[in-house]
Amino acid sequence: MSDRWLLRGAEVITCDPGQADLPRGDILVEDGVIAAMGPELRAGDCRVLDLRGKLVMPGLIDAHRHTWQTPLRALGADWTVMDYLAAVRVKLAPAFRPEDLHAANLAGALEALDAGITTLVDYSHCMGSPEHADAALSALEDARIRALFAYGYAAGPRECPALPTHASRLQEARRLRTTRLASDGGLVRLGIALTEMQIPWEQSRAELLSARELGVPITAHCSAWPVSGPSEVQRMAAEGLLGPDLLFVHCTWSSDEDLARIAGSGGSLTVTPETELQMGMGFPITGRALRAGVRTTLGCDVVSSNSGDLFTAMRLALQVERGRTNERVGLPKALELKAARVLQMVTLDAAEALGLGRVTGSLRPGKDADLLVLAADALNLTPLNRPRDAVVLQSHAGNVESVMVRGRWVKLRGALVDVDVASVRRRVVEARDAVLARVGGPSALLEEQGALATHWDMGTGAGG
Ligand SMILES: [Zn+2]
């Protein structure tokens, strides 16, 4: 496919503070980069895509997803967080083999691209061996998605001969940093996903310091239920370990003081409204986080329970926050959280949270061409009034017609490009069958709930 594309005549939402939206604009893409934007561009020799009646906007950024759980789709539709931990983290994770992880991550990354997500934070905490890491990483590369491959330090509940010690898991991330992910210039970059704080604090500290030596972004589940003792953020703050490279996830039980600490350190936060609301992790803190000045992003978290559709996450985050505020104030004079603010959370704010603010997250000349084409002529978007707001409140993943990552079409006119979808489907179904067979079938998934207390401190009365 040509390296020069002219996208002609679309309604353009830039999500960039320095670049006005264009009611009818052109975008010229050269060598993966946005070369020019404006009405009626003259571009010379290039391929032209007529997008009259369509909407172009930055690709969405899912800041938190355990992509490896794709074969477990909807198994946890009625699970609490305790059910989820017992079934997925204790029972199912150790049953994944490298080939299952490859099938899972490939299908999950393609599902994300298909739904307009051009950048994924893959919180990959199913690392049973070096081969698991290599397979998961290869699948992201094969899907041609932009991703932070957040290597999970978390050990499983059983002995792991390939990575028998905490030190060996730290070393495994070092191996990736010095070999396949030595460069930060590729579409897939290395990140680190910390183990939950239910390990000794000395190990958490070692994980943080080791990740910092690697010079990569760090993400961590945080305060999803009340724990006994000081919070993760309190401990990190006390030792000067907070920083702008940290992306905290959930924080539903974080105090206002902890949110202020995160904001003050330049760190970021990801709300995953569907899982938080379902599983009993407390209430999504979108409004509190924004008021505290924390850079706030959204994630789909797990398709083992809920949808992998970031449009749904946007809508849910917005309306749940409004509902909570309205319940408190009665009939509101005005709605505090605006729809367009939520769009910023899944575009530019998320890019900045990943240290990619200069590369992606908005449309302006000089940035990589990570974008999606939305069917603004679909009935559910017609007539197109207030385009940014319509994206948040009216559109869905089925409206995504085309998707470009770094100037390359990964989806075009409704179909993934150069993807054997039947093969991807077959492989992820085979992975589902193999993993479930190894654990004794779906009826056995919750049978180790009693063992949870040995793995996680669930505090005093929360956690569902
Ligand atoms: Zn998670």
Side-chain angles (χ1 to χ4, degrees), residues 15-359:
C15 296
D16 192 288
Q19 191 80 39
D21 291 350
L22 300 167
R24 189 162 174 180
D26 298 350
I27 300 175
L28 179 65
V29 177
E30 277 181 358
D31 298 325
V33 174
I34 298 171
M37 294 171 58
E40 304 289 335
L41 291 180
R42 292 174 171 276
D45 182 33
C46 61
R47 297 183 71 174
V48 178
L49 189 65
D50 184 354
L51 293 177
R52 283 173 294 179
K54 311 297 181 184
L55 182 150
V56 174
M57 58 178 284
L60 305 176
I61 300 174
D62 182 343
H64 186 72
R65 183 182 303 216
H66 307 288
T67 319
W68 64 271
Q69 294 177 21
T70 306
L72 312 177
R73 186 179 304 286
L75 288 176
D78 296 323
W79 283 345
T80 67
V81 70
M82 294 294 273
D83 298 335
Y84 166 81
L85 293 172
V88 176
R89 301 288 300 279
V90 175
K91 196 88 178 177
L92 287 159
F96 274 71
R97 294 187 180 158
E99 61 270 27
D100 306 315
L101 268 187
H102 187 278
N105 262 24
L106 182 62
L110 290 172
E111 172 194 359
L113 286 168
D114 194 44
I117 294 165
T118 51
T119 301
L120 193 61
V121 177
D122 180 22
Y123 199 113
S124 199
H125 59 352
C126 183
M127 300 286 95
S129 71
E131 291 73 29
H132 284 73
D134 282 323
L137 169 57
S138 291
L140 296 176
E141 292 172 345
D142 293 347
R144 300 183 303 260
I145 196 167
R146 190 187 295 280
L148 188 72
F149 176 62
Y151 179 86
Y153 282 144
R158 302 185 213 304
E159 295 211 349
C160 183
L163 296 167
T165 62
H166 191 245
S168 66
R169 306 185 78 82
L170 302 189
Q171 178 55 34
E172 174 58 2
R174 240 173 257 130
R175 171 185 75 85
L176 292 169
R177 187 59 169 154
T178 52
T179 55
R180 295 181 64 181
L181 295 176
S183 163
D184 290 329
L187 274 184
V188 182
R189 296 186 311 151
L190 182 66
I192 289 297
L194 301 182
T195 307
E196 284 82 355
M197 281 252 306
Q198 285 74 23
I199 58 174
W201 169 244
E202 293 68 35
Q203 290 194 11
S204 295
R205 184 197 296 117
E207 292 189 356
L208 265 169
L209 295 176
S210 190
R212 290 245 159 82
E213 278 173 27
L214 305 182
V216 300
I218 303 164
T219 184
H221 291 135
C222 181
S223 297
W225 51 79
V227 294
S228 35
S231 71
E232 297 92 327
V233 173
Q234 275 177 305
R235 286 186 193 248
M236 290 181 192
E239 298 192 26
L241 291 170
L242 292 174
D245 53 356
L246 271 162
L247 176 59
F248 293 98
V249 185
H250 305 313
C251 293
T252 35
W253 290 90
S254 288
S255 64
D256 287 345
E257 291 75 23
D258 275 0
L259 294 178
R261 290 182 181 109
I262 295 172
S265 68
S268 305
L269 190 155
T270 302
V271 173
T272 67
E274 279 202 89
T275 51
E276 290 161 6
L277 286 165
Q278 172 183 327
M279 291 192 189
M281 289 193 237
F283 212 85
I285 60 156
T286 313
R288 277 211 299 136
L290 290 172
R291 282 191 294 276
V294 182
R295 189 187 297 107
T296 305
T297 66
L298 294 177
C300 294
D301 205 352
V302 290
V303 301
S304 53
S305 291
N306 50 259
S307 83
D309 172 1
L310 210 45
F311 293 97
T312 300
M314 274 196 277
R315 190 143 57 242
L316 204 52
L318 174 65
Q319 302 294 42
V320 152
E321 184 61 38
R322 286 172 165 178
R324 192 179 208 200
T325 307
N326 295 344
E327 186 185 34
R328 195 172 62 240
V329 303
L331 190 63
K333 287 197 174 68
L335 298 176
E336 183 182 334
L337 182 56
K338 308 299 186 197
R341 184 70 188 79
V342 178
L343 191 60
Q344 189 181 327
M345 292 165 62
V346 296
T347 53
L348 189 55
D349 284 0
E352 288 176 347
L354 304 180
L356 288 171
R358 290 166 181 262
V359 178

Side-chain angles (χ1 to χ4, degrees), residues 421-443:
V421 176
S423 161
V424 172
R425 292 184 63 237
R426 188 173 59 248
R427 288 191 54 219
V428 77
V429 169
E430 286 170 359
R432 186 268 318 265
D433 292 344
V435 168
L436 284 179
R438 285 182 206 121
V439 301
S443 61

